[in-house]
């Protein structure tokens, strides 16, 4: 377990991606329950809006610790987690 924490603490952007994944899963779970009771998808739209801002912040943090390549890598990863995944997964629910 300590190795996992050590790996996460090398670059704080890794922790931010983990938080983002957990938040996306929580929103998807709530959205699934809401759709069964007639929800309209506002949680997913909120997730995408917040996710875009959080993606840029994560990429900037990654750039401080890993350079320009880390900036674009974490930006792409966060866009996948915060924007693409919620749209695809909610559509399949």
């Amino acid at each position: 377990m300590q190795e996992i924490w050590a790996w996460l603490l090398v670059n704080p952007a890794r922790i931010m991606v983990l938080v983002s994944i957990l938040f996306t899963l929580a929103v998807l779970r709530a959205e699934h329950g809401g759709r069964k009771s007639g929800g309209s998808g506002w949680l997913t739209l909120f997730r995408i809006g917040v996710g875009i801002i959080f993606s840029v912040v994560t990429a900037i943090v990654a750039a401080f610790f890993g350079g320009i390549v880390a900036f674009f890598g974490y930006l792409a990863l966060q866009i996948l987690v915060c924007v693409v995944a919620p749209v695809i997964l909610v559509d399949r629910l």
Side-chain angles (χ1 to χ4, degrees), residues 19-21 23-24 27 42-52 54 78 81-83 86:
V19 167
S20 187
I21 290 170
F23 187 65
T24 298
V27 166
W42 285 106
L43 284 174
T44 302
L45 291 175
F46 170 76
R47 175 64 189 129
I48 292 169
V50 170
I52 291 170
F54 198 67
Q78 280 290 81
V81 169
C82 297
V83 178

Side-chain angles (χ1 to χ4, degrees), residues 18-80:
L18 179 64
V19 167
S20 187
I21 290 170
L22 295 175
F23 187 65
T24 298
L25 291 175
V27 166
L28 289 174
R29 184 172 176 220
E31 189 69 39
H32 179 67
R35 289 221 174 183
K36 285 184 174 179
S37 64
S40 62
W42 285 106
L43 284 174
T44 302
L45 291 175
F46 170 76
R47 175 64 189 129
I48 292 169
V50 170
I52 291 170
I53 296 167
F54 198 67
S55 296
V56 173
V57 172
T58 302
I60 291 170
V61 169
F64 283 128
F65 289 91
I68 193 72
V69 174
F71 174 84
F72 288 110
Y74 277 93
L75 184 64
L77 178 64
Q78 280 290 81
I79 288 174
L80 181 70

